[in-house]
């Protein structure tokens, strides 16, 4: 998400465009920008990458003083145009635009309750329930921020939000702080972004992260913060996978550099799983930083062993297993001159279904590597995520079905080592006051949903529990 409350010196649409380009790694299915021109909200959104969806003519048409924007990777609700964001509601108090990152854990119940009272939904995403609640609460609340505050006391789970009313731009983060959200400044304009790399992209300076449970309101009177809205007993639970995979390496989240944390994970892997090898390589992009850390700690030289075609989206996005396997080949190519005759340590950020590591090991062997030692800079995935990380049902997770030895056998790796789960806080320099590692530990910071909205369902809790953990 990206948002700007601007002055006349900056085009909010262009600022959003630059911000979204920097956030493209967070979602590549659809994108959109909503601008507010003295109370009138206009939007443009479509399926596709930011550079495909927007052009000069569209951006020039989107005039205004403030704007919010979004890139989407579907974790709740299908990948269709209606589900793209920002969502714009027109209701009795005017217009309201909303952008949301995260997944609600009580979306199903809220939606059913609203539907029983006559609400008609146009999308299948949980974000629409938030928009509906804010609009409903606004009718009896004195201000839009009060409506947002009341909504936050009804929704549960992960949400970083940007809400744009005719007069105000509001940023809010759920009381657990599952997803990141930060604030910056450029001249007299205030900017919000999911990650700090997007602030730099539009020339803004980082000011601070929005705190868990905080609501920041920007209007003509300036910037106001509301911190006493949510109950204080919620434990901070920033998603640790933001550092492992989601975030861009040049972002800093809640005071910790993504790059440094990834390098630290590599150092930990070198201490936990040392091996005699000639070179260390990383699977682009997120595996590279950890490979540099592994090399520093072990003294084994770092090399570029795999080249990535930067014009192909994340392989995970392909719907079928055959398509996923094929796109690994399209996306990554081995550097034979580096690999031939070498004992190789290769680092990737995670193993989910096992498609990527299987292809990588085979690719390295066919390029002449004599040994392949796989190191993974996260623990094994063994539980579903309900907070916005797209993890398939437990039956598809390779670490649920197979032991380390079995994964080595399946992939052809000589050895395999995952980051030990108890070392996750070490990877974050013991600096964070709380993070969520439920996908690795099964310790969920909130009640997990009994039912989810249609379109992206997990395996189901009963089914999930029948499978025993292997790794
Ligand atoms: P897999 O090939 O199924 O084992 O998935 C692992 C690969 O997908 C790794 O190289 C990761 O970089 C990437 N990955 C992991 N989690 C996700 C996710 N939630 N969404 C998209 N890609 C992911």
């Amino acid at each position: 998400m990206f948002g700007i409350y601007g002055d006349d010196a900056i085009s909010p649409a262009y600022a959003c465009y630059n911000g979204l380009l920097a956030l493209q790694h967070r979602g590549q299915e659809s994108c959109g920008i909503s601008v507010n021109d003295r109370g009138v909200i206009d939007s443009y959104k479509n399926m596709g990458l930011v550079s495909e969806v927007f052009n000069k003519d569209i951006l020039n048409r989107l005039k205004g003083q403030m704007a919010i924007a979004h890139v989407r990777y579907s974790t709740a609700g299908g990948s269709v145009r209606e589900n793209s964001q920002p969502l714009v509601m027109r209701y009795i108090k005017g217009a309201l635009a909303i952008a949301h990152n995260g997944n609600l854990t009580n979306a199903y119940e809220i939606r059913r309750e609203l539907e029983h009272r006559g609400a008609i939904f146009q999308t299948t995403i949980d974000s629409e329930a938030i928009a509906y609640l804010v609009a409903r609460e606004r009718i009896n609340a004195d201000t839009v921020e009060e409506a947002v505050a009341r909504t936050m006391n009804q929704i549960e789970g992960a949400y970083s939000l940007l809400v744009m009313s005719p007069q105000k731009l509001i940023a809010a983060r759920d009381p657990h702080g599952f997803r990141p959200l930060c604030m910056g400044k450029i001249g007299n304009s205030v900017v919000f972004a999911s990650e700090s790399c997007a602030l730099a992209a539009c020339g803004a300076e980082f000011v601070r992260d929005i705190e868990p449970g905080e609501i920041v309101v920007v209007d003509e009177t300036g910037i106001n913060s509301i911190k006493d809205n949510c109950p204080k007993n919620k434990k901070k639970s920033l998603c640790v996978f933001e550092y492992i995979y989601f975030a861009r390496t040049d972002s800093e989240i809640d005071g910790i550099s993504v790059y440094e944390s990834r390098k630290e994970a590599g150092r930990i892997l070198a201490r936990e799983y040392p091996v005699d090898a000639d070179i260390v390589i990383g699977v682009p992009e997120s595996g590279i930083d950890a490979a540099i850390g592994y090399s520093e700690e072990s003294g084994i030289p770092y090399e570029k062993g795999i080249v990535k075609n930067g014009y192909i989206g994340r392989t995970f996005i392909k719907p079928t297993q055959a398509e996923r396997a094929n796109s690994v080949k399209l996306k990554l190519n081995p550097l034979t001159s580096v690999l031939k005759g070498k004992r190789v340590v290769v680092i990737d950020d995670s193993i989910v279904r096992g498609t990527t590591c299987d292809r990588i090991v085979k690719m390295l062997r066919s390029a002449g590597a004599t040994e392949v030692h796989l190191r993974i800079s996260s623990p094994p995935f063994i539980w579903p995520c309900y907070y916005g990380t797209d993890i398939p049902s437990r039956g598809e997770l390779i670490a649920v079905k197979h032991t380390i030895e079995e994964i080595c056998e399946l992939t052809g790796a000589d050895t395999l080592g995952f980051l030990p789960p108890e070392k996750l806080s070490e990877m974050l320099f013991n600096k964070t006051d709380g993070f969520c590692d439920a996908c690795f530990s099964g310790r969920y910071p909130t009640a997990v949903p009994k039912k989810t909205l249609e379109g992206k369902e997990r395996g189901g809790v009963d089914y999930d529990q029948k499978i025993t953990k292997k790794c």
Side-chain angles (χ1 to χ4, degrees):
M1 301 185 309
F2 187 90
I4 180 164
Y5 186 99
D7 57 17
D8 286 336
I10 291 172
S11 154
Y14 276 90
C16 284
Y17 176 74
N18 292 335
L20 288 190
L21 283 175
L23 293 171
Q24 186 78 82
H25 59 283
R26 295 188 74 86
Q28 292 137 31
E29 291 177 16
S30 63
C31 56
I33 300 176
S34 295
V35 289
N36 182 335
D37 190 12
R38 304 192 202 288
V40 178
I41 295 178
D42 188 14
S43 301
Y44 190 87
K45 47 187 188 170
N46 214 336
M47 302 301 289
L49 298 174
V50 179
S51 58
E52 293 165 350
V53 169
F54 291 98
N55 59 37
K56 256 189 182 174
D57 291 342
I58 296 166
L59 292 170
N60 289 340
R61 203 194 76 202
L62 292 172
K63 291 196 183 2
Q65 301 72 48
M66 54 174 142
I68 62 172
H70 189 271
V71 284
R72 176 160 193 258
Y73 173 43
S74 56
T75 52
S79 180
V80 289
R81 193 175 178 279
E82 304 86 85
N83 287 345
S84 59
Q85 298 196 36
L87 293 173
V88 180
M89 313 274 285
R90 298 188 201 282
Y91 71 124
I92 198 160
K93 295 271 183 183
L96 200 67
I98 287 197
H100 166 217
N101 177 210
N103 272 19
L104 300 187
T105 50
N106 64 344
Y108 180 87
E109 290 77 6
I110 289 181
R111 193 161 168 136
R112 286 294 164 270
E113 191 257 325
L114 289 167
E115 280 174 339
H116 281 298
R117 289 164 184 259
I120 297 166
F121 285 86
Q122 306 198 354
T123 77
T124 53
I125 51 175
D126 49 0
S127 319
E128 195 177 5
I130 306 177
Y132 210 103
L133 285 178
V134 175
R136 187 176 76 173
E137 293 299 336
R138 178 68 183 96
I139 292 163
N140 297 312
D142 288 338
T143 60
V144 64
E145 56 271 31
E146 197 182 317
V148 171
R150 290 186 193 180
T151 300
M152 286 170 72
N153 286 317
Q154 297 168 59
I155 55 181
E156 285 161 20
Y159 56 90
S160 282
L161 289 179
L162 291 178
V163 178
M164 185 167 69
S165 77
Q167 314 288 341
K168 295 175 184 175
L169 177 61
I170 295 173
R173 199 169 165 196
D174 72 68
H176 292 280
F178 280 108
R179 296 285 156 219
L181 186 59
C182 64
M183 178 164 76
K185 257 198 142 179
I186 172 166
N188 292 323
S189 301
V190 181
V191 179
F192 297 102
S194 288
E195 286 180 42
S196 57
C197 67
L199 302 180
C202 72
E205 244 173 72
F206 175 83
V207 174
R208 67 177 178 88
D209 292 287
I210 308 305
E211 289 177 24
E214 184 182 6
I215 303 170
V216 177
V217 187
V218 193
D219 63 11
E220 57 180 14
T221 66
I223 306 172
N224 291 297
S225 160
I226 303 165
K227 290 189 183 170
D228 56 0
N229 172 52
C230 295
K232 290 270 168 278
N233 60 353
K234 309 268 184 190
K235 189 179 161 290
K236 177 153 180 223
S237 309
L238 172 66
C239 168
V240 72
F241 206 52
E242 289 284 349
Y243 295 100
I244 294 167
Y245 171 80
F246 272 141
R248 219 170 78 167
T249 202
D250 52 339
S251 287
E252 201 172 297
I253 304 172
D254 289 355
I256 302 171
S257 149
V258 172
Y259 175 66
E260 296 302 336
S261 70
R262 288 181 185 165
K263 247 172 61 168
E264 191 60 20
R267 288 192 197 101
I268 297 169
L269 283 172
R271 290 194 291 271
E272 294 289 321
Y273 305 103
V275 65
D276 266 341
D278 303 310
I279 54 169
V280 183
I281 66 168
V283 180
E285 292 296 328
S286 358
I288 288 178
D289 308 344
I292 294 171
Y294 194 104
S295 164
E296 275 181 14
E297 184 73 20
S298 64
I300 303 170
Y302 169 76
E303 276 281 5
K304 184 176 182 147
I306 300 173
V307 176
K308 181 182 164 187
N309 178 343
Y311 299 94
I312 298 173
R314 289 186 167 183
T315 51
F316 216 80
I317 288 162
K318 307 291 175 296
T320 67
Q321 185 61 19
E323 282 176 281
R324 271 192 295 274
N326 188 38
S327 55
V328 174
K329 253 197 260 166
L330 277 174
K331 196 166 105 171
L332 303 172
N333 203 29
L335 259 171
T336 311
S337 62
V338 168
L339 299 161
K340 203 165 182 198
K342 299 279 174 29
R343 295 170 299 164
V344 179
V345 177
V346 57
I347 309 201
D348 199 1
D349 61 84
S350 55
I351 299 185
V352 185
R353 298 177 179 90
T355 321
T356 309
C357 66
D358 180 66
R359 296 282 144 181
I360 295 285
V361 175
K362 292 186 170 66
M363 179 189 285
L364 299 179
R365 289 228 186 265
S366 68
T370 52
E371 290 176 24
V372 179
H373 302 278
L374 197 53
R375 299 290 178 267
I376 305 297
S377 57
S378 65
F381 269 119
I382 45 177
W383 295 99
C385 173
Y386 300 102
Y387 310 116
T389 299
D390 191 27
I391 298 175
S393 67
R394 297 199 73 207
E396 289 177 72
L397 296 173
I398 195 166
V400 171
K401 295 190 291 187
H402 297 287
T403 61
I404 301 239
E405 293 70 32
E406 285 168 354
I407 300 174
C408 282
E409 212 166 294
L410 285 169
T411 58
D414 291 286
T415 63
L416 165 64
F418 285 97
L419 189 88
E422 66 280 8
K423 298 279 173 182
L424 278 171
S425 52
E426 212 175 288
M427 166 192 157
L428 302 176
F429 309 99
N430 299 309
K431 260 166 67 183
T432 167
D433 42 353
F435 56 85
C436 175
D437 63 0
C439 52
F440 307 124
S441 67
R443 282 189 302 267
Y444 293 97
T446 67
V448 300
K450 289 182 203 73
K451 282 192 166 178
T452 49
L453 295 175
E454 278 170 29
K456 277 258 170 180
E457 272 135 330
R458 306 275 167 256
V461 174
D462 288 349
Y463 169 74
D464 284 344
Q465 253 126 48
K466 278 187 204 130
I467 298 169
T468 46
K469 173 189 154 189
K470 284 286 184 73
C471 271

